[in-house]
Structures are given as C-alpha cells and as structure tokens.
Amino acid sequence: MTGGEPQHQRIPWQELLCRASRELGWTPDTFWQATPNELKMALAPVRAPNTAALSKKSLDQLLLQFPDK
C-alpha cells in the first residue's frame, strides 16, 4: 500500500443497528433506508458540549420577529 491510498475501516453495522433500534426506535427497514450521514446525525448527542444555550434576550427577540399566528 502506498501513502496516498485510503485506508478502509470496517463499519460496525450490527452495533449501529442495535443502537438505532434501542435509542431511536427504528425498525430494520428504517435503518437500512437511512444514509450514513442521517444515521450519524440521528445518533449524535442532542447538543455539542461547547454549544451555548439560547439566551432569554435572544429568545424574546426571535419571538418578536416571528410571532405565533
């Protein structure tokens, strides 16, 4: 193998299917219809550790800008 060739990693399909089933309630059909990016996003933590929460002031500004009808 030369330095420019990509190295292939095995994808742990069984582990991913188990997580999608337990954590997301997905059926096998739903799992196999999802793209790898969709699966990655669905199983990612809801919030990244360094993500700041929306402030009350920002929320109030958004509510004024986009009121419920």
Side-chain angles (χ1 to χ4, degrees):
M1 180 184 267
T2 64
E5 294 178 17
Q7 291 188 10
H8 297 283
Q9 295 179 328
R10 290 192 177 270
I11 298 173
W13 293 115
Q14 185 173 359
E15 177 187 337
L16 292 171
L17 178 57
C18 288
R19 283 192 62 201
S21 176
R22 282 192 312 266
E23 297 174 25
L24 305 173
W26 286 9
T27 64
D29 285 341
T30 303
F31 175 83
W32 290 113
Q33 289 175 13
T35 66
N37 281 337
E38 290 169 334
L39 181 61
K40 180 180 175 181
M41 287 187 298
L43 290 173
V46 174
R47 180 192 240 189
N50 294 330
T51 302
L54 184 65
S55 70
K56 171 101 171 82
K57 181 180 177 181
S58 295
L59 176 60
D60 290 340
Q61 290 172 343
L62 287 170
L63 289 171
L64 286 173
Q65 188 176 357
F66 303 101
D68 291 337
K69 295 183 181 184

